[in-house]
Amino acid sequence: MTTTNPRIQYILSALMNRDMMTVSELSEQLGVSMVTIRKDVRALAEQNLVIRQHGKVMLPTHGQQNYLPFQMRSLTQSEEKRCIAAAAAALIEQNDAILLDSGTTTLAIAGQLRRRPPISIATNSVSVAHLLSESEHLISLAGGQMLNHSMCTAGPDAENFFRSIQVEKAFIGVSGVWDDLSLTTGLQPEAVVKAAMIRAAKKVIVVAANDKFHRSQMFNFCSADKIDTIVTSGPELPAHILRQIEQYRIRLIYADATPG
């Protein structure tokens, strides 16, 4: 089994929206036998991505997406992330030096860049560096302590790396956005490095799925006045968020619509 299997992606995505599903539900929705679903679920359980219990399937963290393994998060909302990534990558110009934050949406941006003309890319994402390792881009990977949950580096070495560089554009992912457009993440070491990335960039481009504007995390790393562009997905953001975007003159791009 591979996690690129469409059935596997469906099971994981479905469990992101519900704490628990039965094997029979999954069998009916996917139109395959119970035997096939049990085989898929068993393989996921062996990777510690789901828990099996008396014909039921659930996530180890009961639906808290921000704390799920990176591999699993990268499979959720994959089409939405691809659209956001394509719109974000379109903002990159020839000879730009850019910064790619760690995260599943910025990893999707890296995927869009694999066959693009070479540019300089700085990142703390091990996944981004690996994905682009055979491209023609000049990749600079920050050192530091490895955070397995996010597949990235953090700590003083990573912070000092980003303090020593300057780029045209930083593409920043988030775990959540406050009503005042403050950007947040759930891990303090990540927040500190993200703040250093933002200081290193002339323009800050936030890439965030629509649902990130309906929740927030503990650690704030960026205020609205530092944001130049937000690339997100439909439906239209809440009115109070749109007012903040207009107040701070932030460019808003809906990835699945005509850019604004």
Side-chain angles (χ1 to χ4, degrees):
M1 184 205 72
T2 172
T3 51
T4 59
N5 181 324
R7 289 195 314 274
I8 298 303
Q9 294 193 35
Y10 180 89
I11 292 169
L12 293 174
S13 295
L15 288 173
M16 297 304 302
N17 298 318
R18 296 177 55 181
D19 286 344
M20 179 274 296
M21 296 188 73
T22 65
V23 171
S24 60
E25 284 178 316
L26 290 169
S27 173
E28 181 178 351
Q29 291 179 18
L30 284 164
V32 297
S33 69
M34 299 271 283
V35 172
T36 298
I37 292 297
R38 288 194 183 100
K39 179 180 178 182
D40 291 339
V41 169
R42 186 182 309 114
L44 285 168
E46 289 173 355
Q47 298 178 63
N48 297 317
L49 295 179
V50 302
I51 295 173
R52 296 181 297 162
Q53 191 174 58
H54 307 299
K56 300 176 182 178
V57 188
M58 63 195 76
L59 298 179
T61 50
H62 308 288
Q64 296 177 9
Q65 180 177 355
N66 291 324
Y67 298 99
L68 296 176
F70 185 89
Q71 179 190 33
M72 183 171 182
R73 285 185 285 121
S74 67
L75 297 176
T76 63
Q77 301 172 292
S78 56
E79 179 60 21
E80 184 176 21
K81 291 173 183 176
R82 187 197 66 76
C83 290
I84 292 172
L91 301 175
I92 299 171
E93 301 174 85
Q94 187 177 8
N95 299 322
D96 269 352
I98 70 166
L99 190 157
L100 287 179
D101 185 16
S102 63
T104 55
T105 306
T106 47
L107 179 61
I109 295 174
Q112 295 284 328
L113 299 178
R114 279 184 293 184
R115 294 174 179 83
R116 292 270 295 265
I119 59 173
S120 296
I121 301 173
T123 186
N124 70 327
S125 169
V126 176
S127 299
V128 165
H130 177 72
L131 181 63
L132 296 176
S133 61
E134 295 183 3
S135 73
E136 296 183 359
H137 301 298
L138 176 62
I139 308 300
S140 297
L141 177 63
Q145 178 185 1
M146 176 76 169
L147 300 181
N148 293 335
H149 164 80
S150 303
M151 292 297 291
C152 70
T153 59
D157 288 343
E159 297 165 39
N160 290 334
F161 171 80
F162 291 112
R163 289 193 185 106
S164 69
I165 66 173
Q166 186 171 29
V167 298
E168 275 75 29
K169 296 166 182 139
F171 294 84
I172 304 294
V174 301
S175 297
V177 183
W178 284 103
D179 286 349
D180 64 358
L181 290 187
S182 296
L183 309 182
T184 69
T185 187
L187 297 174
Q188 193 271 345
E190 283 188 354
V192 175
V193 173
K194 286 175 183 285
M197 292 177 178
I198 286 165
R199 288 192 295 270
K202 295 177 182 177
K203 292 186 178 181
V204 173
I205 300 163
V206 177
V207 290
N210 186 282
D211 63 351
K212 298 296 177 66
F213 293 87
H214 300 273
R215 64 172 183 260
S216 57
Q217 297 296 320
M218 180 178 293
F219 298 101
N220 180 337
F221 63 86
C222 179
S223 56
D225 61 309
K226 296 181 176 66
I227 300 171
D228 295 279
T229 303
I230 293 174
V231 184
T232 188
S233 52
E236 186 174 77
L237 295 173
H240 67 278
I241 293 292
L242 293 175
R243 285 193 294 270
Q244 295 286 333
I245 289 172
E246 183 178 2
Q247 176 185 341
Y248 287 99
R249 299 182 180 180
I250 297 169
R251 182 185 183 189
L252 174 62
I253 297 173
Y254 287 107
D256 48 356
T258 302

